[in-house]
Every structure is written in C-alpha cells, then in structure tokens.
Amino acid sequence: MDEDIVWAENARSSTDGTPELREDGDRIVFRGRLCLDEDAGAALEVGGSVILLDLADSHLPDGVDGSWVEVCVAPDNVAVWPYDA
C-alpha cells in the first residue's frame, strides 16, 4: 500500500471485527486489526497477512492500537508482492 494514511480521511474505526478486502467505488477498502509500535510504525493485520502503513501523522486517537479499522486507498496505490515462506 503506497498511500499515506490520514486518520478520519482514509482511515477510521470499524465496529465490524471481520477482516475484509473489497472494492468500494473508486477505492480499495482493507479492514483489519491495527498494530502500532513504539517507533510510530503501523501495520494492518488482515486475515493473517500484514500490510505496512505509512502514517501521514503519527498522532492517532487514543485506544486505536489493536482495534479494528478500515483503510480506503486508491487502486493505483495497491500492489501485491509475492512472498515465499
């Protein structure tokens, strides 16, 4: 995902605790559990896959670490990288 994440613009809390990847109009929506680290890094865990996020601002609302969120991005900013375990 190559788009800066801005809370309340292209990222928000979700009341649905089910991982999802869907197309919604001209956006791709990822729903997953947000994971933050002490170095202001962020990742979204979606059904066992981890997506690294670029935060435009490291200040996020209190309590979002470990919560379910939806991130909406332009399709041109989404790429799949092969991974061989």
Side-chain angles (χ1 to χ4, degrees), residues 5-69:
I5 303 305
V6 180
W7 193 259
E9 285 186 27
N10 62 355
R12 64 176 189 203
S13 294
S14 176
T15 57
D16 189 338
T18 306
E20 183 177 44
L21 171 61
R22 73 177 188 277
E23 192 172 6
D24 186 12
D26 65 344
R27 307 296 277 176
I28 303 295
V29 179
F30 296 85
R31 184 186 315 127
R33 194 173 295 272
L34 183 65
C35 304
L36 304 176
D37 67 23
E38 59 276 356
D39 297 326
L44 189 66
E45 192 271 318
V46 181
S49 295
V50 176
I51 301 167
L52 300 178
L53 303 176
D54 291 324
L55 300 176
D57 181 3
S58 61
H59 178 71
L60 297 175
D62 290 337
V64 297
D65 187 23
S67 68
W68 287 90
V69 299

